[in-house]
Every structure is written in C-alpha cells, then in structure tokens.
Amino acid sequence: MLTNLETNPSSLASTDDLASGEEYAARAYRVGAQYLADVDDILDIVRAGRAETERLNRVPDATVEAMTRAGVFRAMTPLQYGGLEMAPASFFEGIMKIAGAEASAAWIGGQLNVHSFEIALMDERLQDEFWSDGPDTRASSSYAPTGSWEAVSGGYVLDGTWGFSSGVDHAQWIIVGGGDRNFVVPRSDFEIDQNSWDVAGLRGTGSKSVTMSKVFVPDYRAHVLADTYHDRNPGWEVNDRPLYRVSFLSIFNSTMANSATGAALGAFEEFIGESKVRRMRRGTGAAVTENPHLLVRLVDALSKVQMIRRRHLDNWRFLFEVACEGRTATPLERMKIRFEAADAISESLDALYTIWPVSGAGAILSNNHIQRVFRDLLAMRVHGSAGREAAASLYAHALLELPGPDFESNPSMRTLAYHR
C-alpha cells in the first residue's frame, strides 16, 4: 500500500522545493500513479462488502479501512499535514475504479475528499485543528441551510437539523450550510439520526440527518461562499499551490460524475460476464449473444460511457494544467466542464437504461449487481450536481456572454452558488 513517500510527511517534497508548476505537476501525477495502483489492490475488498453495504445502510468499516490504506482520504489533504495533494484526474480515476466495484464506497470517498479540499481553503487555525489527528481526517456535509444559525460575539450559534450527510458515520467533522456561509463542526457537537436514511438507491452512502443544540462555532470555522466565488480564500496564505487554485465549486460539482461513470462501467462489466453464459429461456434456448438487439444496445451504450469517462478525465487534466501554469480557467471553460460533469451523470443512467431491456429477468433479483447500480444511478440523477438543465443554462450564458446570477446581492440565488 502507501509507500514511505506518501506515509511520511517529512519525506514528501517540501512546498519550498516545488518552485515551478512543472515540478509540482510531475510530483502530483507521480503520487497519483502510486495511488491508482493501491486502489487496484483493494477492489476485491470493496466488492466483498456489497451485501453488507445494503444491509447496514452505510459503507462497512472494512471497506473504509481499505480505502484509507490506499490513500483515498488523504488525496486532497495539504502536504504539510501529511497529505498526498495529488492531481485531480488521478484521484477521480481512482474513485471511478472504486465505483465499478461498489458505488456507495466511491460516493463517500469522493464526497469526503471534496470537504478536505474546502477545509484547505479556510483559516489556518481550522486546518491545524482538523488535521491534528492525521491526514485521513474526514468531514461529511449537509450544505442545504435547513437548521438555524445566529451571529454572536466571536462566532455563531447553530441549532436544528441538517439532512443528507453522506458518509457521516465515518466522519470526524461535518460542514453544514447557513445561507451565505458554511460552518465546520466537530463530531462531539452533533448527533446522528440512524433512522433517517431509508432509500432505494445509494443506500450505503448513509446520508443521514444530524441534529445540533445551541452549538457555538467560532468565526474561523466559518467559510463565506463569496470568498470562494470571488477567489479570495483565506487558506491560500498557507496553501498557495496549484491544486488549491483550482475552483472549489468546479471540483465539488465534478466529483459525483466519477461515481456515476465508474458505477455504470462496473454494471457493463457485470452485464458482459452474464451475457457470455446466459441463454434464452424461451424458444430455442439459444445463447443471448445471438440476439442482435443485445449486441447493438451493448456497444452503443458502452461506447457512450467510455467516451464521457475520457472526456471527464481530460477536462480535469486541463484544469490542473491551467492551475500549474499559474493561470485561471475562464468562466466559459469552467461552465463547459460543469455542464459536461452533469451530463456524465445523465448519460451514465441513460446508457444503463439502454441495456436494461436485454439484461434478462435475473437482473431484477435483489443480489444482482446491475439492478443495484441502476438504483444507485437513479439516486445520483436527482442530486444537485446532476442538474444537467441548470448546468446547461449556465454554460449557455457563458457562451453567449450573458450576465450570470448575482449571488451576493440576491439572497435567493445563494443556494445556486454550488452550480458554479
């Protein structure tokens, strides 16, 4: 698993040694290559946890421990805290591999790392607290502002319930939304409602509700969304390196596409394996591979998912290259990639639906992986980041040079900030 280079912070290249963007990129991809090899080594463990994931309504501890060993949860952690700080495309590819084995494991792997990326953009005091126990520290989130918050001297008081917090059982912190800002709260200050997650798809994400009662959050644990939107993150004082110059909102909205494309490809792998041995139960009992409709549907759907996978990874190689060159991606470039990420989720679901009519009656069995992925993709499609229509509108605005939403002066638009 993790080599000495990745596990020993002192053996990593110091931030002072990474003087050029080219050197930084080379290290980030080198670490990413080792990470991908380590992910390959844990896929059997992830597959073995499928049934338990469904039964527990969360990813099993053994799967999370394997993902930790492979470096999944330190991928976006800054170097000075022992993190890998790898190239985003490498991290995304690893999540796709995990999704091919089990979608919920990939989902929380991606989600929890997005939050580490956000922590790296915040006040250094918070970063010191957050990673004081090691580089694999995890935060879940519930960004919808469903609880209440009140500004007080030195910070805020939070009260109420926030829902849909993916991976919260495996997190030591949570980030909750409060309109124009997010608040970071340690595990000791909130309760998890274990009965709040009863769903058809992505069961293993354990996206449960949390409740807080008059919890004080100091100012430095608050993240003002406008700071991210206008590129004035306080964390840049200590993390002024190319990875953290990539737009947080871009990486947030792109992460779910990894789980979708990877899960779809895993379902296709299962479908191909079953089709090699399955026979028609009616008529002659001939092999299903003699059905020309199955053959056409398979290659058509599979090619589409393989294409969007390549497109998604290429997009993130491009964004990272831009950052390593010291440039900033234009709004048009970001909106194109934002749309294509949402499109990837939509296309993955549509592709799996294409082969569903020829997958056979056995596909509806509860232990059949194809139907499980189908349910997971249905759940992904209703996530905010899968809002293909909203993303298309923003992309079109950029193409036509139309004014975008004013998030600061119009409070009703603030919840749309994550579409950017």
Side-chain angles (χ1 to χ4, degrees):
M1 281 296 151
L2 291 172
T3 65
N4 183 62
L5 175 64
E6 286 84 34
T7 55
N8 180 4
S10 64
S11 68
L12 284 163
S14 73
T15 56
D16 293 335
D17 293 335
L18 302 172
S20 73
E22 185 176 349
E23 292 170 334
Y24 183 85
R27 187 213 62 86
Y29 279 111
R30 186 171 65 251
V31 171
Q34 178 61 54
Y35 155 79
L36 288 171
D38 289 344
V39 165
D40 283 337
D41 289 341
I42 68 167
L43 295 181
D44 285 343
I45 296 174
V46 178
R47 291 188 190 96
R50 286 174 180 172
E52 193 175 6
T53 294
E54 290 276 301
R55 181 178 62 82
L56 293 176
N57 263 7
R58 62 175 176 83
V59 177
D61 292 344
T63 299
V64 174
E65 290 166 4
M67 292 167 67
T68 303
R69 292 196 303 273
V72 171
F73 299 113
R74 62 177 66 181
M76 299 294 160
T77 302
L79 292 171
Q80 66 268 28
Y81 297 108
L84 299 180
E85 209 168 305
M86 71 176 64
S90 299
F91 175 64
F92 284 0
E93 185 176 354
I95 294 298
M96 290 176 177
K97 288 172 177 281
I98 294 170
E102 206 286 299
S104 290
W107 184 269
I108 70 164
Q111 289 276 294
L112 299 179
N113 268 283
V114 166
H115 307 141
S116 291
F117 190 98
E118 183 177 10
I119 296 295
L121 302 179
M122 296 175 65
D123 193 289
E124 185 179 11
R125 288 171 293 176
L126 170 62
Q127 295 185 51
D128 288 343
E129 289 180 352
F130 186 83
W131 282 299
S132 63
D133 291 329
D136 301 306
T137 303
R138 301 179 284 273
S140 64
S141 73
S142 179
Y143 288 119
T146 55
S148 65
W149 59 97
E150 178 185 2
V152 297
S153 178
Y156 307 85
V157 173
L158 275 56
D159 193 78
T161 298
W162 285 259
F164 293 93
S165 187
S166 296
V168 66
D169 288 306
H170 300 292
Q172 295 83 33
W173 297 73
I174 190 171
I175 306 174
V176 297
D180 63 346
R181 63 201 61 209
N182 298 327
F183 307 102
V184 186
V185 181
R187 179 65 186 86
S188 57
D189 287 346
F190 63 87
E191 296 295 329
I192 303 172
D193 181 355
Q194 295 294 342
N195 297 316
S196 59
W197 188 241
D198 184 12
V199 293
L202 289 178
R203 291 176 61 85
T205 64
S207 303
K208 301 164 185 174
S209 298
V210 302
T211 300
M212 302 178 200
S213 179
K214 305 298 181 184
V215 170
F216 175 72
V217 178
D219 283 324
Y220 67 86
R221 290 188 194 159
H223 186 201
V224 178
L225 294 180
D227 286 348
T228 288
Y229 185 69
H230 293 293
D231 294 333
R232 54 187 185 221
N233 299 294
W236 283 349
E237 293 184 12
V238 290
N239 294 321
D240 190 17
R241 297 182 295 282
L243 175 62
Y244 303 109
R245 289 288 175 170
V246 174
S247 164
F248 165 63
L249 299 178
S250 291
I251 206 164
F252 173 87
N253 283 308
S254 290
T255 296
M256 294 72 176
N258 307 314
S259 295
T261 54
L265 289 172
F268 277 109
E269 183 179 346
E270 197 91 1
F271 177 84
I272 291 169
E274 291 179 3
S275 297
K276 288 178 180 179
V277 298
R278 187 161 56 89
R279 308 191 76 80
M280 300 179 191
R281 293 186 179 181
R282 295 182 179 180
T284 64
V288 297
T289 51
E290 295 182 27
N291 177 0
H293 303 297
L294 181 149
L295 303 180
V296 172
R297 285 174 178 264
L298 171 61
V299 297
D300 182 52
L302 179 60
S303 294
K304 286 181 180 178
V305 180
Q306 290 173 331
M307 180 273 292
I308 61 175
R309 177 187 182 276
R310 288 192 298 270
R311 182 183 70 184
H312 190 60
L313 294 176
D314 284 345
N315 281 342
W316 277 90
R317 293 185 186 101
F318 167 75
L319 282 183
F320 190 52
E321 178 183 346
V322 167
C324 288
E325 291 177 352
R327 298 186 289 119
T328 300
T330 67
L332 177 59
E333 290 167 338
R334 293 209 305 260
M335 289 306 99
K336 172 183 179 292
I337 291 172
R338 168 70 187 95
F339 167 73
E340 290 177 353
D343 182 60
I345 300 172
S346 176
E347 287 290 337
S348 294
L349 174 59
D350 290 348
L352 193 55
Y353 183 76
T354 297
I355 65 165
W356 183 255
V358 292
S359 58
I364 67 172
L365 296 174
S366 60
N367 63 351
N368 186 289
H369 186 59
I370 297 173
Q371 64 80 26
R372 185 177 297 154
V373 173
F374 200 16
R375 289 187 285 112
D376 290 341
L377 285 171
L378 284 169
M380 293 182 203
R381 185 63 178 88
V382 297
H383 190 274
S385 291
R388 187 178 185 277
E389 297 75 16
S393 177
L394 291 168
Y395 181 25
H397 273 70
L399 280 169
L400 298 171
E401 299 182 345
L402 300 174
D406 185 347
F407 298 112
E408 288 192 284
S409 63
N410 187 350
S412 67
M413 300 298 294
R414 286 173 183 161
T415 56
L416 295 178
Y418 284 103
H419 287 299
R420 301 287 288 182

